[in-house]
Amino acid sequence: MSTPRFVSLPPGVRRTTVETSRGPFAVLEALPGSGMPDRCPALLVPGLTGSKEDFLAVLETLAASGRRVVAIDMRGQYETLGPDDESAYTRAALGADIAALLSALGPGPVHLVGHSFGGLVCREAVLAGARPASFTVMSSGPGAVGGPAAARARALRDAIPELGMAQIWELSLEPDYLGRGIQREIVAFLKARTLGNSEKGLARMADEILTAPDRVDELAKHCADTGLRVLVIYGEDDDAWDPRAQAAMAERLNAPKVVIPGAAHSPAWDAPETTAAALLALWSDSERTLK
């Protein structure tokens, strides 16, 4: 779970809702200082236990390039409502949500960034026919998560039906945050986000990250056929997917990779300026191709 350094909104960023053919989504929307975007917009998708606030540190910089930048809560996350039907939280169903969001932010092409589990979800959208301006896979892997990250996801999945998120917060998460000296304001946000999640949705998404197949070869063929530009970006100390697995994925995709020094699983917080620069470089290059 990412831990933000601040929760106040930067200049030019506001909380709002994006209406789509698949329902409304809570978002953070950033606009350039002029208020008039003149370049392709971008859609930022968080991971399993994350939210739109995972991108707070990069929104202002990204929007300053002349873009509308939208970070979302996926269905059932934090401030986006979701049903109790677990089938609404499969990778394919969430990918359909992303496709609907890309359409809503159009009509032109939209840059797509998927962090962690969000990367797997966005891949589903692309392979199902969505056509973003570019696709960035951030701190995500070729398939199911493994190692300690898998153990954490499995523990979360199995504990939710037994304890519920309120008890998980009280017994485990809150003591950990307070013991680490996290500011009270940040802890209050983390509590609201944790308890705002759909429990059935979170449990199903945890199962989805544990069972995701390797679809890298399919994505590579899709990119070769369509010309879609892909970037693989991750922290050198990522503790979810092994950085070596992410490097190998980039090779299989014939895609550039950016390794963020000193960053772990949340480069948008660990190194926001470096992360934003890498995204903007891809976006600008992709737009030259689109022209």
Side-chain angles (χ1 to χ4, degrees):
M1 182 180 294
S2 65
T3 304
R5 310 292 195 270
F6 59 85
V7 291
S8 57
L9 298 186
V13 178
R14 65 169 184 150
R15 298 184 183 276
T16 185
T17 300
V18 171
E19 298 287 343
T20 78
S21 60
R22 291 176 62 84
F25 290 81
V27 309
L28 292 175
E29 178 188 59
L31 295 172
S34 66
M36 297 293 292
D38 58 5
R39 307 186 76 174
C40 292
L43 175 64
L44 314 181
V45 182
L48 172 64
T49 55
S51 67
K52 57 193 178 302
E53 286 77 13
D54 290 353
F55 302 102
L56 265 175
V58 297
L59 288 175
E60 184 181 6
T61 301
L62 295 177
S65 65
R67 309 172 192 281
R68 180 190 184 194
V69 182
V70 172
I72 68 162
D73 293 335
M74 285 194 288
R75 181 180 303 278
Q77 284 185 328
Y78 189 24
E79 294 179 320
T80 296
L81 296 177
D84 286 337
D85 181 359
E86 291 184 3
S87 67
Y89 303 99
T90 64
R91 293 180 301 274
L94 296 171
D97 289 344
I98 299 306
L101 280 155
L102 290 171
S103 295
L105 297 177
V110 179
H111 297 291
L112 181 60
V113 179
H115 175 246
S116 192
F117 178 61
L120 299 177
V121 169
C122 291
R123 186 176 70 186
E124 293 291 323
V126 170
L127 291 176
R131 296 293 298 270
S134 70
F135 176 28
T136 297
V137 184
M138 180 184 291
S139 304
S140 190
V145 73
R152 292 191 294 270
R154 192 174 297 111
L156 177 65
R157 180 197 63 189
D158 296 346
I160 289 173
E162 180 179 349
L163 298 175
M165 288 310 299
Q167 283 199 60
I168 291 172
W169 172 262
E170 292 175 6
L171 296 175
S172 176
L173 298 177
E174 184 177 36
D176 176 64
Y177 289 129
L178 294 176
R180 288 158 49 194
I182 304 297
Q183 297 177 20
R184 292 278 179 175
E185 179 186 23
I186 305 298
V187 173
F189 160 74
L190 291 169
K191 179 179 181 179
R193 179 168 74 177
T194 298
L195 301 186
N197 284 309
S198 161
E199 292 188 353
K200 288 189 176 180
L202 192 58
R204 181 57 186 265
M205 288 190 285
D207 189 68
E208 291 286 303
I209 204 173
L210 289 164
T211 59
D214 184 331
R215 304 191 70 185
V216 174
D217 292 343
E218 294 174 69
L219 181 60
K221 183 180 185 303
H222 176 85
C223 293
D225 291 344
T226 64
L228 175 65
R229 297 283 299 278
V230 176
L231 172 68
V232 174
I233 181 172
Y234 55 92
E236 65 175 350
D237 299 319
D238 198 333
D239 59 355
W241 282 271
D242 190 319
R244 293 169 296 184
Q246 295 183 66
M249 178 176 64
E251 291 184 11
R252 292 169 62 191
L253 291 170
N254 193 29
K257 70 177 187 293
V258 175
V259 183
I260 307 295
H265 190 55
S266 300
W269 275 113
D270 296 340
E273 293 304 318
T274 306
T275 300
L279 293 175
L280 291 174
L282 172 70
W283 295 353
S284 295
D285 287 346
S286 299
E287 286 166 15
R288 283 193 285 269
T289 303
L290 290 171
K291 293 177 183 178

